[in-house]
Amino acid sequence: MNPSNPPTGQSTPEIEELRNKYYNASVMDLRMPHDHLMIVRIKPDEDVPRFSGGQYTTLGLGSWEHRVDGGPLAELEKPKLIRRAYSISCPMLDLQGDLLANDEIDYLEFYITLVLRPDTDDPPLTPRLFRLKEGDRLHLGKKPVGTYTLKPVQPGDNVIFAGTGTGEAPHNSMSIELLKRGHTGRIVSMTCVRYKGDLGYLAQQEQLQKQFSNYRYGAFTTREPENMDENHPSYVGKQYLQDIIQPERFQETFGWSPAPDKTHVFLCGNPSMIGLPEKNDRGELVFPDSKGMVELLAEQGYTLSTPKNPGNIHFEKYW
């Protein structure tokens, strides 16, 4: 038996009782672009909770469930439900290629990456999620929450979504929400990943670009041969969103130049990409040494949005 792939079929009356107690949803569909990337649709036992694009809810599995990395199981004498918040994504298009709005589906879709951290003492959820298969049971939060939404966006505003990895998830549902309601401003959704194989929604994004003249998708990588090998015929170097947001580069890539007074920017993903300022010992806000999107945008005339001071740079703390 491979210790990194323990059996999952072993159940006991005690485990079934725990599942019946804590689980309220089932895996309706599951797609794996690769072993560490999952697009999963969860159907609750009751009505699907309504949500606004950009919001999140929790998924949960018991500490008694197996992990994909073969990590330890908690003793059943101390069972617990392990929960974590995930942004809600969306399928974007139906089988006919038409927009599929958030209120037209009977499930919630999630875009999840597996990052193994064997040295942690906490009982992580994601390695358990990656043992799921269609029909399996789990916990789903009953009420999506979050203020990372399109509320401040007016119909004619330009909107730029910038995400890293699965930080693209909330931007998918936000983009569809805008397009479905006939948004007239320009929309750019750009994402940065290590490899092209990490682009779980690439086919849908390319189709959206063909259907909507005001929508553009930009996918950028950092680990492909053309990013690493200076002798590669298509060498471009590592491509980070901090480079793409520079005015000349943005104009070259997307064909228009955003005006700060008419544009909202939404940031979700790696904290280094976002680059939020923090207070120093004197209470002054100081940006990180390596410039993130917030500082770069501030230099262009954008303002960071906070609960007390609304602006046009919005962010989601993804980890």
Side-chain angles (χ1 to χ4, degrees), residues 19 22-28 38 40-45 58-62 65 81-82 86 110 112 125 128-129 132-133 135-141:
R19 289 171 175 163
Y22 288 108
Y23 296 170
N24 62 353
S26 301
V27 176
M28 177 180 171
M38 167 195 295
V40 59
R41 295 176 179 176
I42 307 298
K43 185 176 178 63
D45 296 341
T58 56
L59 297 179
L61 284 169
E65 304 290 2
L81 183 66
I82 306 168
Y86 293 92
F110 298 90
I112 303 171
L125 174 62
R128 289 173 167 85
L129 292 177
L132 290 172
K133 59 184 183 300
D136 281 352
R137 302 279 292 162
L138 74 165
H139 170 82
L140 175 69

Side-chain angles (χ1 to χ4, degrees), residues 45-56:
D45 296 341
E46 300 180 358
D47 293 339
V48 179
R50 296 298 94 197
F51 70 97
S52 297
Q55 290 189 309
Y56 63 89

Side-chain angles (χ1 to χ4, degrees), residues 94-111:
D94 63 17
L95 295 177
Q96 288 71 44
D98 296 324
L99 290 176
L100 196 55
N102 299 334
D103 58 357
E104 297 175 332
I105 53 179
D106 62 352
Y107 54 84
L108 295 182
E109 182 163 299
F110 298 90
Y111 188 34

Side-chain angles (χ1 to χ4, degrees), residues 92 168 172 201-209 215 217:
M92 308 190 83
E168 181 181 15
N172 292 342
Y201 289 87
L202 182 59
Q204 295 97 310
Q205 296 283 9
E206 290 177 340
Q207 194 167 349
L208 281 176
Q209 286 194 122
Y215 184 81
Y217 180 67

Side-chain angles (χ1 to χ4, degrees), residues 154-216:
Q154 299 301 309
D157 289 343
N158 299 318
V159 181
I160 300 172
F161 298 113
T164 57
T166 53
E168 181 181 15
H171 300 160
N172 292 342
S173 59
M174 296 165 91
S175 295
I176 294 301
E177 188 172 313
L178 286 173
L179 293 171
K180 191 70 176 182
R181 69 193 194 194
H183 189 75
T184 57
R186 296 177 183 268
I187 307 168
V188 163
S189 181
M190 57 183 186
T191 185
C192 180
V193 295
R194 293 177 302 171
Y195 301 100
K196 294 174 184 176
D198 297 326
L199 298 169
Y201 289 87
L202 182 59
Q204 295 97 310
Q205 296 283 9
E206 290 177 340
Q207 194 167 349
L208 281 176
Q209 286 194 122
K210 295 177 182 178
Q211 292 184 28
F212 297 92
S213 60
N214 64 330
Y215 184 81
R216 293 291 306 278

